[in-house]
Amino acid sequence: MPLAGRPMVEWSIAACRAADSIRSIVVACPPGHVHDLAGHDLGVVDGGATRAQSVSNALRVVGTELVAIHDAARPLVTAELIENVIATLLDDSEADGAIAATPMTDTVKKASTDTQRLFSSSGMEKGRLVVEATLDRERLWSAQTPQVFRVEALQRAALDADPERAAAATDEAMLLEAAGGTVLIHPAPVGNLKVTTPLDLKLAEFLLAQRSAQ
């Protein structure tokens, strides 16, 4: 996906290259796109059908004690944020990982799907969502990347995880949490957004333009 004149993934790679703690970079990408990521300092592996499979493929070529995992869909990451998350983990010898996250600002509802059915104006059947509870947002954080882990602890948690749970994991911290590991939070700047929709893409382009102007 192009973003501000270059492939989106290149923004994250550039931030990793600028971080003093990063010694090597491994990219899990769709088969057939290896040539798009030419570079002497990049390792490239085939991604999998799920996030967990892609991370597993990349971890096989990691030989360091720590690993930082980042979504290419967060192109506004900075070298400073990467270094700060690494430092958060290194400052606590008993922790297994540290993640970038932001506190929730919206009122968060937990919903359940009612057994009754509704129909949209187009005639398509849709579920009836019912508020089950309002969660305490004071304790809720929106998880982001980069996420930094002690490789041995992450690999052990992945091996011990139920295969279905591992495949469904939306981030690696979930595996460590399920295994009883300690994962720390480093508060991230609000600009570390994830590009999911066309509107996100326009916002990312605007923020990158502002960053360049500064």
Side-chain angles (χ1 to χ4, degrees):
M1 176 65 67
L3 171 63
R6 58 201 297 196
M8 189 186 301
V9 67
E10 287 190 4
W11 293 101
S12 296
I13 291 172
C16 289
R17 284 174 172 153
D20 291 338
S21 297
I22 300 298
R23 293 290 175 264
S24 60
I25 304 169
V26 180
V27 181
C29 70
H33 287 268
V34 173
H35 65 281
D36 297 334
L37 296 166
H40 69 280
D41 61 338
L42 290 180
V44 182
V45 299
D46 285 342
T50 65
R51 176 196 179 97
Q53 289 175 353
S54 294
V55 171
S56 178
N57 291 351
L59 275 176
R60 292 192 184 101
V61 298
V62 171
T64 51
E65 293 183 8
L66 300 184
V67 61
I69 299 174
H70 184 66
D71 296 326
R74 291 190 187 275
L76 276 77
V77 67
T78 62
E80 180 183 16
L81 179 58
I82 294 169
E83 294 287 3
N84 287 341
V85 179
I86 292 171
T88 296
L89 176 56
L90 291 177
D91 286 345
D92 190 331
S93 61
E94 296 183 358
D96 300 298
I99 67 172
T102 54
M104 296 291 292
T105 56
D106 293 325
T107 297
V108 182
K109 305 290 186 180
K110 180 181 179 183
S112 62
T113 304
D114 195 281
T115 54
Q116 299 182 47
R117 310 298 295 180
L118 295 179
F119 288 85
S120 68
S121 59
S122 64
M124 297 294 291
E125 189 176 1
K126 62 179 183 179
R128 181 170 181 252
L129 295 174
V130 179
V131 173
E132 187 177 280
T134 299
L135 305 182
D136 180 8
R137 69 181 179 190
E138 294 300 320
R139 301 180 60 191
L140 298 177
W141 290 72
S142 179
Q144 302 182 351
T145 60
Q147 300 189 353
V148 181
F149 304 99
R150 301 189 193 280
V151 172
E152 184 178 348
L154 180 58
Q155 290 176 330
R156 185 169 59 248
L159 286 173
D160 293 343
D162 174 85
E164 290 187 7
R165 177 186 293 172
T170 52
D171 73 357
E172 287 60 53
M174 290 177 63
L175 300 179
L176 275 171
E177 295 159 26
T182 299
V183 180
L184 307 175
I185 287 176
H186 176 82
V190 293
N192 188 38
L193 64 85
K194 184 176 183 181
V195 176
T196 306
T197 69
L199 180 60
D200 297 331
L201 190 64
K202 291 182 180 298
L203 180 56
E205 289 178 341
F206 172 76
L207 293 174
L208 285 170
Q210 277 199 325
R211 184 184 294 178
S212 297
Q214 293 170 356

